[in-house]
Amino acid sequence: MIRILKIGGSILTDKNQEFAARPEEIARIASEIATCADGLVLVHGAGSFGHIPAKRYGLPQQFSPEGMRMTHLSVARLCEMVVVALSQAGVQCLPVHPLSTVMLRQGRIESFFLEPVKEMIKKGIMPVLHGDVAMDASGGAAIVSGDQIVAYLAGELQAEKVAVGSNVDGVLVSGRPLPCMTRDGLSKFKNDIGASAGVDVTGGMKGKLEELLELADRGTESVIFNAGKEGNIVRALRGEGVGTRIMRQK
Ligand code: IP8
């Protein structure tokens, strides 16, 4: 059984300060993951390691090879921290960089070389992917968010569970998490759903919902939960009621 877990960059880093990792949070997340690592694929957000350099170089609106290099190298450093923390917690894992495996067209994944990921899963190794810059055949947008990666992988790997951890208790309306969200819910609450608190070039909570609602349309439900609260990762992966369930319109 394959399960996909996303940990948002807002948990791993301080989104307002470049290169500001949160080592204690990274270590805590790693030890929680270690208790439920079987068949898990991890995707993490870029946090301040990606969004701040991407914004500085005008990505994704402007094509900038230098911006892509600086942003990728920075996000790859965050990925290395996550991989090191996981291995210190006893998890066998390997980094998979989307820049080298994904091809975009107009900002959407057109192809993804997933053989290494599938082989890692077969061998009991946890693949660790992340939001990244990527080449785009249309020459325009060049960022692939962790959320887009999650939705794509969930379909391709036929994931049974998809859990997306952020730093809030789910999809908040007037400060309270909605128990579930559908396409109708998004139209109803679109003006109430907030943007990300820090610098964000991939659309914050709305961007996340668009990816996950599309996944729900294809038949896979997911949950958005607060990964900043201890124990929630295990609860979300077990399907216990934490956060907001993203469901297909009935
Ligand atoms: O943090 C964004 O990924 P996300 C990737 O998952 C970059 O939205 C490079 C900003």
Side-chain angles (χ1 to χ4, degrees):
M1 175 174 103
I2 293 178
R3 300 165 308 159
I4 299 181
L5 173 68
K6 158 119 194 263
I7 298 293
S10 52
I11 296 285
L12 308 172
T13 75
D14 174 348
K15 269 186 115 171
N16 293 305
Q17 250 185 297
E18 198 167 4
F19 307 134
R22 294 198 164 116
E24 302 83 22
E25 274 299 87
I26 296 177
R28 176 187 64 81
I29 297 277
S31 38
E32 282 197 36
I33 290 175
T35 66
C36 54
D38 256 13
L40 200 64
V41 175
L42 179 65
V43 180
H44 68 76
S48 58
F49 284 68
H51 292 269
I52 292 181
K55 190 160 187 220
R56 180 182 311 126
Y57 286 97
L59 299 172
Q61 288 78 13
Q62 279 157 38
F63 179 71
S64 159
E66 185 188 344
M68 288 182 74
R69 183 179 71 249
M70 299 303 278
T71 307
H72 171 75
L73 290 177
S74 172
V75 176
R77 270 174 54 197
L78 178 63
C79 183
E80 185 181 333
M81 288 179 212
V82 172
V83 166
V84 168
L86 282 168
S87 54
Q88 282 168 349
V91 179
Q92 289 295 356
C93 60
L94 284 170
V96 177
H97 300 303
L99 174 60
S100 323
T101 43
V102 164
M103 192 65 210
L104 302 177
R105 185 174 295 275
Q106 292 184 325
R108 307 300 301 166
I109 298 174
E110 186 172 63
S111 59
F112 199 153
F113 183 58
L114 284 176
E115 299 316 307
V117 167
K118 290 179 182 163
E119 207 53 38
M120 287 174 202
I121 296 170
K122 266 193 217 156
K123 301 271 189 310
I125 298 167
M126 181 187 299
V128 181
L129 299 99
H130 52 85
D132 203 350
V133 291
M135 298 308 288
D136 190 303
S138 58
I143 286 194
V144 58
S145 72
D147 296 320
Q148 189 183 162
I149 293 170
V150 165
Y152 187 93
L153 287 181
E156 290 294 309
L157 303 175
Q158 295 173 336
E160 289 189 23
K161 279 253 146 43
V162 178
V164 175
S166 80
N167 63 347
V168 287
D169 288 337
V171 181
L172 302 184
V173 169
S174 313
R176 289 224 201 92
L178 296 172
C180 55
M181 172 59 92
T182 57
R183 283 213 178 269
D184 278 1
L186 184 60
S187 337
K188 186 168 164 203
F189 294 117
K190 67 174 181 292
N191 297 326
D192 305 287
I193 295 166
S196 167
V199 180
D200 197 307
V201 296
T202 51
M205 186 55 86
K206 274 191 191 139
K208 193 182 293 307
L209 280 174
E210 273 153 23
E211 298 295 348
L212 298 178
L213 283 168
E214 204 180 298
L215 178 64
D217 288 342
R218 287 187 269 123
T220 306
E221 280 189 9
S222 55
V223 61
I224 299 178
F225 70 101
N226 192 342
K229 292 189 177 162
E230 217 168 314
N232 267 0
I233 291 177
V234 177
R235 285 187 205 110
L237 288 172
R238 276 198 203 126
E240 289 174 22
V242 278
T244 304
R245 276 172 65 200
I246 313 302
M247 299 161 65
R248 191 179 0 204
Q249 194 66 47
K250 292 256 158 53

Short mmCIF file of all heavy atoms in Angstrom, two decimals, residues 2 19 36-37 45 49 52 70-72 74 96 98 118 136 143 153 156 166 190 208 223 250:
data_model
loop_
_atom_site.label_atom_id
_atom_site.label_comp_id
_atom_site.label_asym_id
_atom_site.label_seq_id
_atom_site.Cartn_x
_atom_site.Cartn_y
_atom_site.Cartn_z
N ILE A 2 0.67 2.09 -1.01
CA ILE A 2 1.50 3.31 -1.10
C ILE A 2 0.74 4.50 -0.50
O ILE A 2 -0.44 4.71 -0.77
CB ILE A 2 1.91 3.58 -2.55
CG1 ILE A 2 2.85 2.45 -2.99
CG2 ILE A 2 2.58 4.95 -2.70
CD1 ILE A 2 3.32 2.54 -4.39
N PHE A 19 16.91 30.81 3.73
CA PHE A 19 17.80 29.79 4.33
C PHE A 19 17.56 29.61 5.83
O PHE A 19 18.47 29.24 6.55
CB PHE A 19 19.28 30.13 4.10
CG PHE A 19 19.64 30.38 2.67
CD1 PHE A 19 20.41 31.47 2.30
CD2 PHE A 19 19.17 29.53 1.66
CE1 PHE A 19 20.74 31.71 0.98
CE2 PHE A 19 19.50 29.76 0.34
CZ PHE A 19 20.27 30.85 0.00
N CYS A 36 6.01 5.41 10.97
CA CYS A 36 4.97 4.97 10.02
C CYS A 36 5.52 5.03 8.60
O CYS A 36 4.84 5.47 7.67
CB CYS A 36 3.72 5.85 10.16
SG CYS A 36 4.07 7.61 10.01
N ALA A 37 6.78 4.58 8.45
CA ALA A 37 7.48 4.80 7.19
C ALA A 37 7.15 3.81 6.07
O ALA A 37 7.50 4.03 4.91
CB ALA A 37 8.99 4.79 7.45
N GLY A 45 7.71 20.73 0.85
CA GLY A 45 7.62 22.05 0.22
C GLY A 45 8.99 22.71 0.23
O GLY A 45 9.94 22.24 0.87
N PHE A 49 13.53 28.38 1.31
CA PHE A 49 14.66 27.96 0.46
C PHE A 49 14.30 28.04 -1.02
O PHE A 49 15.19 28.11 -1.87
CB PHE A 49 15.10 26.53 0.81
CG PHE A 49 15.88 26.45 2.09
CD1 PHE A 49 15.26 26.70 3.30
CD2 PHE A 49 17.23 26.15 2.08
CE1 PHE A 49 15.98 26.64 4.49
CE2 PHE A 49 17.96 26.09 3.25
CZ PHE A 49 17.33 26.33 4.46
N ILE A 52 11.65 32.35 -1.71
CA ILE A 52 12.33 33.65 -1.68
C ILE A 52 13.25 33.82 -2.90
O ILE A 52 13.12 34.81 -3.64
CB ILE A 52 13.03 33.89 -0.32
CG1 ILE A 52 11.94 34.05 0.77
CG2 ILE A 52 13.95 35.11 -0.37
CD1 ILE A 52 12.46 34.31 2.18
N MET A 70 20.01 28.90 -8.84
CA MET A 70 20.10 29.32 -7.44
C MET A 70 18.96 28.71 -6.62
O MET A 70 19.15 28.27 -5.49
CB MET A 70 20.04 30.86 -7.34
CG MET A 70 21.15 31.57 -8.06
SD MET A 70 22.79 31.06 -7.49
CE MET A 70 22.95 32.07 -6.05
N THR A 71 17.75 28.71 -7.22
CA THR A 71 16.59 28.20 -6.48
C THR A 71 16.72 26.69 -6.28
O THR A 71 16.50 26.18 -5.19
CB THR A 71 15.29 28.55 -7.24
OG1 THR A 71 15.28 29.95 -7.49
CG2 THR A 71 14.06 28.17 -6.45
N HIS A 72 17.12 25.99 -7.34
CA HIS A 72 17.24 24.53 -7.21
C HIS A 72 18.29 24.16 -6.16
O HIS A 72 18.06 23.30 -5.31
CB HIS A 72 17.60 23.87 -8.55
CG HIS A 72 17.94 22.42 -8.36
ND1 HIS A 72 16.98 21.47 -8.11
CD2 HIS A 72 19.14 21.77 -8.28
CE1 HIS A 72 17.56 20.31 -7.91
NE2 HIS A 72 18.86 20.46 -8.02
N SER A 74 19.34 25.76 -3.69
CA SER A 74 18.86 26.09 -2.36
C SER A 74 17.85 25.03 -1.85
O SER A 74 17.96 24.52 -0.73
CB SER A 74 18.24 27.49 -2.45
OG SER A 74 17.60 27.82 -1.27
N VAL A 96 15.00 12.56 -4.53
CA VAL A 96 14.67 12.54 -5.96
C VAL A 96 14.35 13.99 -6.35
O VAL A 96 13.38 14.56 -5.86
CB VAL A 96 13.44 11.64 -6.24
CG1 VAL A 96 13.07 11.68 -7.72
CG2 VAL A 96 13.70 10.20 -5.79
N PRO A 98 12.99 16.78 -8.68
CA PRO A 98 12.11 16.95 -9.84
C PRO A 98 12.80 17.65 -11.02
O PRO A 98 12.50 17.34 -12.17
CB PRO A 98 10.96 17.80 -9.27
CG PRO A 98 10.90 17.37 -7.84
CD PRO A 98 12.33 17.19 -7.43
N LYS A 118 9.77 4.14 -8.35
CA LYS A 118 9.11 2.83 -8.21
C LYS A 118 10.08 1.78 -7.68
O LYS A 118 9.74 0.95 -6.85
CB LYS A 118 8.53 2.39 -9.56
CG LYS A 118 7.34 3.24 -9.97
CD LYS A 118 6.80 2.79 -11.32
CE LYS A 118 5.64 3.68 -11.75
NZ LYS A 118 5.35 3.56 -13.18
N ASP A 136 10.42 23.69 -18.78
CA ASP A 136 9.04 23.78 -19.27
C ASP A 136 9.08 23.88 -20.79
O ASP A 136 9.70 24.80 -21.34
CB ASP A 136 8.37 25.01 -18.65
CG ASP A 136 6.90 25.05 -18.92
OD1 ASP A 136 6.50 25.03 -20.11
OD2 ASP A 136 6.13 25.10 -17.95
N ILE A 143 8.25 26.32 -12.46
CA ILE A 143 8.21 25.88 -11.06
C ILE A 143 7.19 24.78 -10.93
O ILE A 143 6.09 24.88 -11.49
CB ILE A 143 7.85 27.04 -10.11
CG1 ILE A 143 9.05 27.97 -9.99
CG2 ILE A 143 7.45 26.52 -8.73
CD1 ILE A 143 8.99 28.95 -8.87
N LEU A 153 1.80 12.11 -8.41
CA LEU A 153 2.29 10.82 -7.90
C LEU A 153 1.14 9.96 -7.40
O LEU A 153 1.13 8.75 -7.61
CB LEU A 153 3.26 11.04 -6.73
CG LEU A 153 4.64 11.58 -7.04
CD1 LEU A 153 5.45 11.70 -5.76
CD2 LEU A 153 5.38 10.69 -8.04
N GLU A 156 -0.33 8.29 -10.43
CA GLU A 156 0.58 7.35 -11.10
C GLU A 156 0.91 6.14 -10.23
O GLU A 156 1.11 5.04 -10.73
CB GLU A 156 1.88 8.06 -11.48
CG GLU A 156 1.73 9.07 -12.59
CD GLU A 156 1.35 8.44 -13.92
OE1 GLU A 156 2.03 7.49 -14.33
OE2 GLU A 156 0.38 8.92 -14.54
N SER A 166 0.29 21.01 6.66
CA SER A 166 0.66 22.42 6.57
C SER A 166 0.83 22.94 7.99
O SER A 166 0.93 22.15 8.93
CB SER A 166 -0.41 23.18 5.79
OG SER A 166 -1.49 23.46 6.64
N LYS A 190 -14.44 30.88 -1.55
CA LYS A 190 -13.18 31.33 -2.17
C LYS A 190 -12.64 32.65 -1.60
O LYS A 190 -11.44 32.84 -1.53
CB LYS A 190 -13.27 31.34 -3.69
CG LYS A 190 -14.19 32.32 -4.33
CD LYS A 190 -14.00 32.26 -5.85
CE LYS A 190 -14.86 33.24 -6.59
NZ LYS A 190 -16.30 32.97 -6.54
N LYS A 208 -3.03 24.78 -3.40
CA LYS A 208 -3.08 23.42 -2.84
C LYS A 208 -4.44 22.78 -3.12
O LYS A 208 -4.54 21.64 -3.58
CB LYS A 208 -2.86 23.57 -1.33
CG LYS A 208 -2.57 22.31 -0.59
CD LYS A 208 -2.42 22.58 0.92
CE LYS A 208 -1.23 23.41 1.34
NZ LYS A 208 0.06 22.94 0.86
N VAL A 223 -6.27 14.57 2.67
CA VAL A 223 -6.57 15.36 3.86
C VAL A 223 -5.50 16.44 4.03
O VAL A 223 -4.32 16.19 3.79
CB VAL A 223 -6.68 14.46 5.13
CG1 VAL A 223 -5.39 13.72 5.43
CG2 VAL A 223 -7.10 15.27 6.35
N LYS A 250 -20.36 15.37 -4.80
CA LYS A 250 -21.34 14.28 -4.92
C LYS A 250 -22.38 14.61 -5.98
O LYS A 250 -22.75 15.75 -6.14
CB LYS A 250 -22.04 14.03 -3.58
CG LYS A 250 -21.06 13.48 -2.55
CD LYS A 250 -21.25 11.99 -2.33
CE LYS A 250 -20.05 11.28 -1.77
NZ LYS A 250 -19.42 11.76 -0.60
#
